């Protein structure tokens, strides 16, 4: 990493620190506002709970007073004629019991008769001017507004309850209580004496005051003398007008207060509570101070981390440079360095050969001789490449045993000669003195021609390397011909593979894969035995693709499993259709991929399909290639045994195409053995070959295994197979693979006569 790059990284770090710092400041602001909002909500909730308790005490007092008056009203109203002295005596006794200052009786002409708690009585008092009495005579239980006591000094609250006799209001019972009784209720200390409560009307005028006040100034209205915005005042008055509660912030004398208003439910009375914000904000301020300290610590630690990273970048930039562009084990350039420098190299006026090289079986070197020996071999290869390069040529190590070179190109013969020389020098290395081990290398070469830089600028580094990689893949593991040059054929093969892989999923979803059937006949009487399901891909543009074009690609990328399951379902669907149509049903054989034998859900999938179409499993012949069976005999043996128990017929396909083992026939529970067409063609042309084929068929017959010969193309092969008692045959001699409807018309419905050589 250059000094300029270090400065660039530091500049980026400074920007990042600034951005993160700004983000942290914003977070502080958001947290502060969130905490403040939460604190306000908590204050509102807390104050409302406290004030509601006082409201409940006041309403409980008033409700109790009303119950007392209701009882006296019922007592007095039960008689048609009221004994005034007796009534006053009862009222005097009840007044002293309930702490009223007086109680009284009001006649229908609104003349009052009252008795104080001390026994003093007042007769013939005209109270027609009292509005609360008017409401009582309308049948309501009423509480008066605050009024001056007409018989003594001070302010009082009067109650009025109608006296009802025979359904008519004949008078009223009254009681008087001093406002000091209510003031005493709301004068208790709350919030450690830091707050006060008053009772006000809906306009904010004080009705009943408590004995203490936070604001040491006499106010007639709660909105007097304060810094209260007009919109807040209007909102509070509107809430009180409609009997709702309110919560707001008031400022008196430069101090902020939380205030709440809660309706009492009597007249238009409101309980007004005011608390300094500093009292309720104590916990909030403490929490925010702690949060602020934490954020300061975070900033401090962040600053330390920044300076640490700064110093680390300054000290370690050379080590990072080596790590980014050099292979640690061999000291050679790595792929990053090579790809970075390649565009400049290609602009030079010269022809180049891009060469990729790997070793076949390098993992066995590590396994047999140890990783230390493997590392020594890689270091030796790097030295060989460096010694064989001319001035201006480059090499690099990609990964594991993969190396790349950019060489000057003169001719194919010259490049091939240089690769052989490199291969020979690599094999001069002795991996182990006790064992001679030959190192096999493969080379993929992409020729980059054109002396004009303008032409080669079109070629990207990836394209140059990928061309060599495609050539290398074409000979990977090939020891007889280890060198390949990238050409149009390799390019077309790779392009075709990509095209197939890009279309295969859509093709399956769109039903472009079609099942073709090739009949199989008993060789004895040439009657129809079964059919083999073969796949054809008919794309939307009408082009027919044959299996040898796409099956190898599907086997490589794993899509073959989806195609095999699709073909199995198509076969089951067709067998079910034949059964419903009343045809003489013949089995259909379907090829199966090796992947299914390692899938735990394999058996369940098969069982679900045959159950879905309600067919017997014996009508489906599952073909397993010999190579699948030989790759993991124990696993395949277990799966085939389970499939056989489920009722499926198992056939071993392509027997003789690989390293066949007769033990396979003994170990696997198969019902059918198919001889590979190439095996049959080669063996039937020589006396020894005929003996081998005859021996296999005889052995299979003794093991109760049906034999099938595929690839029968002429009368001579047919007669040979009959002579050695082969059971079943298929091939172009009988019929080519055909669409399902053609199979139904020509084979399934047609006469089971001896087929003609032309396959019709």
């Amino acid at each position: 990493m250059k000094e300029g790059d270090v400065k660039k990284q530091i500049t980026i770090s400074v920007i990042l620190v600034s951005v993160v710092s700004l983000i942290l400041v914003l977070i502080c602001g958001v947290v502060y506002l969130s905490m403040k909002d939460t604190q306000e909500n908590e204050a509102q909730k807390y104050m409302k709970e406290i004030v509601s308790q006082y409201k409940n005490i006041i309403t409980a007092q008033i409700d109790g007073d009303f119950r007392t008056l209701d009882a006296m009203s019922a007592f007095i109203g039960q008689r048609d004629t009221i004994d005034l002295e007796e009534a006053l005596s009862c009222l005097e006794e009840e007044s002293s019991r309930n702490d009223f200052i007086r109680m009284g009786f009001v006649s229908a002409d609104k003349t009052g008769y009252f008795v104080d708690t001390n026994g003093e009585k007042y007769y013939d008092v005209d109270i027609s001017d009292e509005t609360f009495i008017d409401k009582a005579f309308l049948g309501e239980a009423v509480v008066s507004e605050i009024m001056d006591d007409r018989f003594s000094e001070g302010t009082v609250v009067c109650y009025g309850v109608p006296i009802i006799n025979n359904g008519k209001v004949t008078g009223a019972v009254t009681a008087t209580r001093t406002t000091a009784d209510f003031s005493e209720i709301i004068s208790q200390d709350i919030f450690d004496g830091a707050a006060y409560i008053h009772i006000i009307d809906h306009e904010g005028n004080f009705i009943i005051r408590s004995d203490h006040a936070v604001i040491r100034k006499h106010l007639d209205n709660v909105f007097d003398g304060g810094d209260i915005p007009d919109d807040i005042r209007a909102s509070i008055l509107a809430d009180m007008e409609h009997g709702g509660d309110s919560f707001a912030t008031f400022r008196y004398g430069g101090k902020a207060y939380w205030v709440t208003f809660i309706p009492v439910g009597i007249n238009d009375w409101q309980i007004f509570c005011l608390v300094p914000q500093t009292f309720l904000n104590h916990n909030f301020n403490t929490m925010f101070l702690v949060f602020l300290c934490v954020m300061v610590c975070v900033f401090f630690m962040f600053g330390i981390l920044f300076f640490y990273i700064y110093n680390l970048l300054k000290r370690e930039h050379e080590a990072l440079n080596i790590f980014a562009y050099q292979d640690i084990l061999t000291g050679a350039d790595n792929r990053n360095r090579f790809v970075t420098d390649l565009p400049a190299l290609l602009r030079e006026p010269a022809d180049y050969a891009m060469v990729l090289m790997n070793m076949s079986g390098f993992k066995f070197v590590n396994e047999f001789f140890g990783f230390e020996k493997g590392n020594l071999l890689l270091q030796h290869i790097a030295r060989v490449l460096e010694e064989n390069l001319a001035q201006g040529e480059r090499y690099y190590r990609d990964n594991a045993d993969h190396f790349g070179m950019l060489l000057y190109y003169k001719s194919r013969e010259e490049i091939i000669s240089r690769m052989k020389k490199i291969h020979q020098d690599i094999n001069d290395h002795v991996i182990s003195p006790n064992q001679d081990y030959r190192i096999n290398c493969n080379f993929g070469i992409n020729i980059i021609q054109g002396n004009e830089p303008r032409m080669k600028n079109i070629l990207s580094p990836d394209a140059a390397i990928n061309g060599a990689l495609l050539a290398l893949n074409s000979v990977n593991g090939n020891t007889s011909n280890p060198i390949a040059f990238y050409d149009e054929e390799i390019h077309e093969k790779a392009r075709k593979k990509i095209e197939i892989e890009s279309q295969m999923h859509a093709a399956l979803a769109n039903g472009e894969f079609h099942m073709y059937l090739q009949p199989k006949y008993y060789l004895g009487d040439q009657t129809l035995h079964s059919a083999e399901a073969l796949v054809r891909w008919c794309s939307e543009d009408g082009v027919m693709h044959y299996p040898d074009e796409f099956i190898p690609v599907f086997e490589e990328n794993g899509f073959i499993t989806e195609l095999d399951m699709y073909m199995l379902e198509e076969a089951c669907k067709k067998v079910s259709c034949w059964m419903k149509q009343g045809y003489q049903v013949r089995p259909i054989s379907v090829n199966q991929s090796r992947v299914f034998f390692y899938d735990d859900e394999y058996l369940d999938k098969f069982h679900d399909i045959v159950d879905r179409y309600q067919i017997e499993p014996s009508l489906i012949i599952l073909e397993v290639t010999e190579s699948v069976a030989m790759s993991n005999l124990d696993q395949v043996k277990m799966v085939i045994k389970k499939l056989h128990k489920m009722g499926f017929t198992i056939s071993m396909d392509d027997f003789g195409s690989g390293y066949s083992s007769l033990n396979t026939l003994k170990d696997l529970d198969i019902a059918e053995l198919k001889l590979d067409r190439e095996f049959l063609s080669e063996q039937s042309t020589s006396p020894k070959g005929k003996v081998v084929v005859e021996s296999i068929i005889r052995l299979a017959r003794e093991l109760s295994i049906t034999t099938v010969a595929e690839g029968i193309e002429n009368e001579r092969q047919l007669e040979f197979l009959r002579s050695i008692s082969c059971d079943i045959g298929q091939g172009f001699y009988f019929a080519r693979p055909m669409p399902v409807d053609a199979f139904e018309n020509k084979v399934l419905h047609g006469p089971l006569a001896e087929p003609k050589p032309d396959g019709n």
Side-chain angles (χ1 to χ4, degrees):
M1 186 181 295
K2 299 179 181 179
E3 188 67 27
D5 294 333
V6 175
K7 292 182 179 179
K8 182 179 179 181
Q9 292 294 327
I10 293 173
T11 302
I12 293 174
S13 299
V14 171
I15 295 174
L16 289 176
V17 168
S18 302
V19 171
V20 172
S21 299
L22 179 61
I23 292 174
L24 290 175
V25 171
L26 292 176
I27 290 175
C28 289
V30 171
V31 170
Y32 173 79
L33 294 176
S34 177
M35 292 174 65
K36 185 177 180 181
D37 186 61
T38 301
Q39 178 65 18
E40 182 175 346
N41 292 334
E42 289 297 320
Q44 179 179 359
K45 180 181 178 182
Y46 187 35
M47 289 180 66
K48 185 174 182 179
E49 290 177 354
I50 295 297
V51 175
S52 294
Q53 294 177 13
Y54 287 91
K55 170 190 172 181
N56 293 337
I57 294 173
I58 293 173
T59 55
Q61 177 68 59
I62 294 174
D63 289 343
D65 293 344
F66 274 133
R67 284 194 295 272
T68 299
L69 266 66
D70 285 339
M72 295 306 301
S73 171
F75 172 74
I76 296 174
Q78 66 183 352
R79 300 180 182 180
D80 294 333
T81 302
I82 299 175
D83 186 335
L84 181 60
E85 293 301 325
E86 181 182 4
L88 291 176
S89 177
C90 291
L91 292 173
E92 179 184 359
E93 181 180 355
E94 195 64 35
S95 176
S96 61
R97 186 180 299 123
N98 289 275
D99 293 331
F100 296 129
I101 61 173
R102 76 178 57 86
M103 293 186 70
F105 162 73
V106 180
S107 63
D109 60 358
K110 296 185 181 179
T111 300
Y113 305 91
F114 304 97
V115 58
D116 287 345
T117 303
N118 59 11
E120 185 175 355
K121 298 178 181 178
Y122 308 92
Y123 295 92
D124 299 323
V125 180
D126 182 11
I127 59 171
S128 60
D129 58 340
E130 300 291 352
T131 58
F132 81 96
I133 287 297
D134 295 335
K135 293 181 180 180
F137 272 88
L138 293 175
E140 299 180 24
V142 63
V143 180
S144 73
E145 299 292 345
I146 305 301
M147 62 178 66
D148 294 330
D149 190 0
R150 68 172 63 213
F151 302 116
S152 63
E153 295 181 356
T155 56
V156 295
V157 175
C158 295
Y159 300 95
V161 174
I163 298 174
I164 299 175
N165 180 264
N166 295 324
K168 295 181 179 181
V169 177
T170 59
V173 176
T174 68
T176 303
R177 187 179 290 280
T178 65
T179 56
D181 291 344
F182 294 102
S183 179
E184 183 179 349
I185 294 175
I186 61 176
S187 293
Q188 300 178 24
D189 286 345
I190 59 173
F191 300 117
D192 296 330
Y196 73 87
I197 292 179
H198 290 318
I199 297 177
I200 61 175
D201 62 18
H202 70 279
E203 294 180 349
N205 299 314
F206 286 93
I207 297 176
I208 301 175
R209 302 175 185 267
S210 61
D211 292 340
H212 58 83
V214 176
I215 302 173
R216 301 301 177 182
K217 181 180 179 181
H218 182 80
L219 302 175
D220 294 326
N221 190 285
V222 296
F223 299 108
D224 293 343
D227 183 11
I228 304 168
D230 293 338
D231 57 337
I232 294 179
R233 176 174 180 171
S235 176
I236 293 173
L237 290 173
D239 289 338
M240 291 193 298
E241 182 70 26
H242 296 89
D245 55 72
S246 296
F247 181 83
T249 299
F250 280 13
R251 300 189 69 85
Y252 289 104
K255 295 182 179 180
Y257 297 86
W258 297 121
V259 295
T260 188
F261 301 83
I262 295 180
V264 178
I266 303 298
N267 300 328
D268 61 350
W269 293 2
Q270 297 270 339
I271 296 181
F272 165 71
C273 180
L274 179 144
V275 184
Q277 287 188 5
T278 54
F279 179 81
L280 291 182
N281 287 0
H282 176 72
N283 292 335
F284 166 73
N285 294 333
T286 302
M287 290 172 58
F288 184 73
L289 181 61
V290 171
F291 172 75
L292 194 60
C293 291
V294 171
M295 294 305 297
V296 170
C297 292
V298 170
F299 273 109
F300 180 73
M301 295 300 295
F302 194 74
I304 293 176
L305 179 62
F306 167 72
F307 285 109
Y308 172 76
I309 294 175
Y310 172 84
N311 292 327
L312 189 65
L313 287 172
K314 294 284 286 182
R315 291 195 308 266
E316 301 297 332
H317 67 279
E318 291 183 358
L320 291 174
N321 184 51
I322 294 174
F323 180 78
Y325 294 112
Q326 189 174 13
D327 179 59
I328 304 301
L329 176 63
T330 64
D333 289 345
N334 62 15
R335 180 187 174 96
N336 291 337
R337 168 60 71 186
F338 182 78
V339 171
T340 301
D341 296 344
L342 186 56
L345 295 172
L346 292 179
R347 284 194 291 269
E348 296 182 5
D351 295 338
Y352 287 103
M354 182 68 223
V355 183
L356 292 183
M357 182 198 81
N358 70 355
M359 287 178 289
S360 299
F362 177 71
K363 64 179 181 180
F364 297 110
V365 175
N366 288 329
E367 182 177 345
F368 295 150
F369 302 106
F371 285 98
E372 184 178 354
K373 296 290 186 181
N375 290 340
L376 291 175
L377 173 59
L378 293 173
Q379 292 169 349
H380 168 70
I381 293 174
R383 288 193 297 270
V384 168
L385 296 181
E386 186 172 9
E387 293 169 358
N388 281 272
L389 293 184
Q391 183 69 29
E393 296 179 335
R394 300 284 291 273
Y395 83 100
Y396 71 98
R397 182 191 175 203
D398 194 342
N399 60 73
D401 60 326
H402 293 257
F403 289 82
M405 293 170 278
L406 185 68
L407 309 177
Y408 290 122
Y409 175 73
K410 297 178 181 178
S411 66
R412 286 200 173 205
E413 292 74 14
E414 188 263 347
I415 285 291
I416 292 174
S417 177
R418 293 185 66 179
M419 295 304 103
K420 289 181 178 180
K421 174 66 166 52
I422 289 173
H423 194 184
Q424 181 180 348
D425 291 348
I426 290 174
N427 272 289
D428 288 342
H429 178 71
V430 178
I431 297 177
S432 173
N434 301 321
Q435 185 174 356
D436 184 18
Y437 185 86
R438 177 170 176 79
I439 303 165
N440 294 314
C441 298
N442 296 103
F443 301 89
I445 305 173
N446 183 16
I447 305 302
I448 307 170
Q449 292 180 315
N451 290 326
E452 290 191 35
R454 180 179 59 84
M455 297 297 296
K456 289 191 291 186
N457 284 341
I458 302 174
L459 186 66
S460 67
D462 286 340
I465 294 174
N466 287 340
L469 181 60
L470 291 174
L472 177 62
N473 289 338
S474 69
V475 292
N476 200 14
N478 191 331
T479 58
S480 61
N481 186 21
I483 302 174
F485 288 84
Y486 174 75
D487 56 19
E488 285 300 319
E489 182 180 351
I490 291 176
H491 174 79
E492 180 61 23
K493 184 177 180 181
R495 187 201 63 78
K496 187 65 176 178
K497 178 182 177 183
I498 294 174
E499 181 181 352
I500 288 173
E501 290 182 330
S502 67
Q503 297 175 0
M504 59 188 185
H505 291 286
L508 184 61
N510 296 334
E512 295 179 13
F513 293 102
H514 299 279
M515 183 175 68
Y516 274 50
L517 297 175
Q518 185 177 31
K520 297 191 293 186
Y521 293 94
Y522 289 107
L523 296 183
D525 57 6
Q526 296 193 46
T527 57
L528 182 65
H529 170 266
S530 59
E532 180 178 3
L534 302 170
V535 64
R536 298 291 185 269
W537 181 357
C538 184
S539 57
E540 291 183 346
D541 56 8
V543 177
M544 177 70 74
H545 303 280
Y546 291 90
D548 58 349
E549 297 179 46
F550 55 85
I551 291 297
V553 178
F554 292 172
E555 289 177 339
E556 182 180 342
N557 62 27
F559 186 71
I560 190 67
T561 58
E562 296 186 44
L563 182 59
D564 281 352
M565 291 304 295
Y566 172 79
M567 291 296 294
L568 174 63
E569 185 156 2
E570 288 294 298
C572 292
K573 186 188 302 183
K574 182 50 61 180
V575 169
S576 176
C577 180
W578 288 343
M579 293 173 61
K580 292 177 181 178
Q581 293 175 350
Y583 298 159
Q584 185 177 2
V585 179
R586 305 292 184 176
I588 296 179
S589 58
V590 184
N591 291 301
Q592 293 302 297
S593 167
R594 70 174 65 236
V595 180
F596 283 119
F597 290 89
Y598 302 96
D599 186 353
D600 293 337
E601 299 178 356
Y602 172 71
L603 300 180
D604 292 336
K605 292 176 182 177
F606 272 39
H607 202 282
D608 289 344
I609 291 176
V610 296
D611 285 350
R612 188 184 313 147
Y613 292 102
Q614 299 179 345
I615 65 173
E616 290 295 327
S618 60
L619 293 175
I620 299 297
I621 302 173
L622 301 177
E623 294 192 1
V624 183
T625 62
E626 179 193 23
S627 60
V628 171
M630 295 295 293
S631 62
N632 192 337
L633 185 59
D634 291 337
Q635 175 71 15
V636 174
K637 178 181 177 180
M638 179 188 67
V639 174
I640 287 179
K641 186 175 181 180
K642 291 181 179 180
L643 287 170
H644 185 75
K645 287 183 178 180
M646 292 169 61
F648 288 101
T649 300
I650 311 300
S651 172
M652 179 181 289
D653 194 13
D654 296 339
F655 186 82
S657 61
Y659 296 98
S660 303
S661 172
L662 295 180
N663 282 329
T664 306
L665 301 180
K666 172 179 67 67
D667 293 334
L668 296 180
D669 189 9
I670 61 174
E672 185 178 280
L673 182 68
K674 293 185 70 175
L675 299 179
D676 183 74
R677 67 181 65 213
E678 296 298 329
F679 178 82
L680 174 64
S681 176
E682 293 174 1
Q683 301 298 335
S684 62
T685 57
S686 66
K688 289 184 178 180
K690 293 180 179 180
V691 172
V692 172
V693 175
E694 183 178 5
S695 298
I696 293 174
I697 291 178
R698 183 171 61 252
L699 176 61
R701 185 167 57 250
E702 291 177 0
L703 293 174
S704 299
I705 298 175
T706 301
T707 53
V708 180
E710 58 179 345
I712 301 176
E713 298 182 355
N714 52 58
E715 185 76 25
R716 179 175 55 82
Q717 290 177 335
L718 175 61
E719 292 304 325
F720 166 67
L721 291 170
R722 282 177 173 172
S723 67
I724 60 176
S725 301
C726 181
D727 298 311
I728 300 168
Q730 70 179 104
F732 289 175
Y733 178 81
F734 298 106
R736 294 176 178 271
M738 63 190 75
V740 173
D741 54 353
F743 178 84
E744 292 175 346
N745 294 330
K746 294 182 179 181
V747 179
L748 197 61
H749 296 169
L752 300 179
E754 182 176 345
K756 299 297 186 290
D758 61 0
N760 295 325

